[in-house]
Amino acid sequence: MTTEAADTTEAPAPGDRTPLVELDAVSKYYGNIRALEGVSLEVHAGEISCVLGDNGAGKSTLIKIIAGLHQHDAGTFRIEGEDTRLSSPREALDRGIATVYQDLAVVPLMPVWRNFFLGSEPTKGVGPLKRMDVDVMRRTTHAELLRMGIDLRDVDQPIGTLSGGERQCVAIARAVYFGAKVLVLDEPTAALGVKQSGVVLKYVAAARDAGLGVVLITHNPHHAYLVGNRFVLLKRGTMSGSHARDEITLDELTRQMAGGSELDDLRHELERAPEPDLKEHGDAP
């Protein structure tokens, strides 16, 4: 009688997914200044992780660590489960992390297609006849923008003539085209009106639906709650909260973002004390 060896390989637990990017108790110091202290964040494929905080909360430092501009001083930074210390933004791009900053780093007078391929231009020909393949860049830019739902009639127009929301969407489509796995967005709706903010959030959701892990940096809890799956709140470089979407309501997220108990204390301080009843003391005329 023959016996077969039992298969001892453990099947992965249901829902057990390795994050595309994971920060575990990450800290960053500039001399004696604490920029970040013990911040944790997970970014999963097909999800949007929102980082909320006011100015000075540490959002910019967090972006710089993920984007490879700065290295963390303590804690662990993992990319797809591997402990990592990024040495440059180019290395971050090579590892699939694309960052879209608030200023977008576009050349306003150049056409849309030129900005779409800026720094990664395809070429044709050889030797002294080698030149940019403009036709391919035009066609690809139009097709990729259309795939994201952005129908530009003319990709030859200067990108500076587009609205702020449209420029953000071009940057998002570019990151998707060049193979980003993780998309970090630095306050993409900060300088936009309600309608343009809605357009940008639509394309943020499209990037999520394309399978990217998105990190949305914002100070607007309403925008975050519209698209977010996870929320990390920063305050003076430390985490003041971390919640999954089903663990918190918009009202509570807004309250925590606004200061929570500190806001309640301020409200009590600002309430006007009741004026004394002068008639009761016989001081009325």
Side-chain angles (χ1 to χ4, degrees), residues 37-79:
E37 178 77 38
V39 173
S40 297
L41 172 70
E42 288 188 2
V43 183
H44 291 266
E47 290 187 0
I48 298 175
S49 297
C50 301
V51 179
L52 300 101
D54 285 327
N55 293 336
K59 303 191 302 296
S60 294
T61 302
L62 185 67
I63 291 173
K64 290 172 182 175
I65 291 173
I66 298 174
L69 281 166
H70 292 170
Q71 293 188 343
H72 56 290
D73 295 319
T76 306
F77 178 20
R78 301 185 185 94
I79 297 178

Side-chain angles (χ1 to χ4, degrees), residues 8 14 24 41 53 58 60 72 78 80 89 107-108 114 132 145 156 164 174 201 231 239 247 254 260 278 285:
T8 58
D24 185 7
L41 172 70
S60 294
H72 56 290
R78 301 185 185 94
E80 296 184 283
V107 184
R114 188 73 171 84
M132 292 191 303
L145 293 178
D156 282 303
R174 181 183 191 276
L201 292 175
F231 308 98
M239 290 177 62
E247 296 173 348
T254 304
L278 297 180

Side-chain angles (χ1 to χ4, degrees), residues 5-11:
D7 184 2
T8 58
T9 304
E10 292 185 8

